[in-house]
Every structure is written in structure tokens, then in C-alpha cells.
Amino acid sequence: MKETVIGIVTFLVFYYFNFIILAGISSVLLPGGDAFIKSYVDPVYSGIAALAAIVIVCTCMIMKKLDEVLRELKKGKDEESENV
């Protein structure tokens, strides 16, 4: 459940960051142009936000799994040292 919340929050943060800040920067760097043509870039912003959210959620899940594996390895070493 925690990963889901992290993913949703990350998506929203990157989504609004892309639309507000990057759109402002691109309008300064590329003045003029047609709003219709610039609207083709909007799905790219959404894709960047979605990819960022997926990467962060997957990283959190991998770190959680690695912590479990390390705990099991330490537990096995402790049991092994008690038997010797």
C-alpha cells in the first residue's frame, strides 16, 4: 500500500513539474509557434511523469525485498554460529 501512495504522489509531482516548469522554460526558449502544435508535447510530459513514478515505485519494492533477503541471511548466520 505504501508503494502505491508513493507512486501516485510521485506521478502527480512530476506531472505538475513538467507542465508548469518545463512548459514555461520551453515557451521562453522557443517563443511563438502554434498552441496546437505545442499540444503534441503534452503526452510526452505525461509519459515522463509516469516513467518517473514507475522507476521510484519499483526501486522502493526492490529495496524492501533486498532488506528481507539481508535479514534472512543474517538470521541464517546467527543460527549457524549457534550450532557450531
Side-chain angles (χ1 to χ4, degrees):
M1 181 67 181
K2 185 178 176 183
E3 289 83 12
T4 306
V5 173
I6 291 172
I8 292 170
V9 170
T10 304
F11 176 77
L12 292 174
V13 167
F14 278 98
Y15 186 76
Y16 287 115
F17 173 78
N18 287 331
F19 268 107
I20 294 170
I21 296 177
L22 293 182
I25 292 172
S26 69
S27 67
V28 170
L29 293 176
L30 304 168
D34 188 13
F36 179 73
I37 293 172
K38 286 186 177 184
S39 70
Y40 285 110
V41 180
D42 293 345
V44 174
Y45 293 147
S46 301
I48 291 170
L51 284 175
I54 290 170
V55 167
I56 290 173
V57 168
C58 290
T59 303
C60 289
M61 292 171 70
I62 290 170
M63 292 300 295
K64 183 187 248 185
K65 191 66 172 174
L66 284 175
D67 287 340
E68 291 175 13
V69 169
L70 285 173
R71 229 174 296 134
E72 288 295 321
L73 286 174
K74 287 180 182 179
K75 182 180 170 184
K77 284 184 179 180
D78 290 341
E79 289 175 359
E80 193 175 288
S81 63
E82 288 175 4
N83 291 335
V84 173

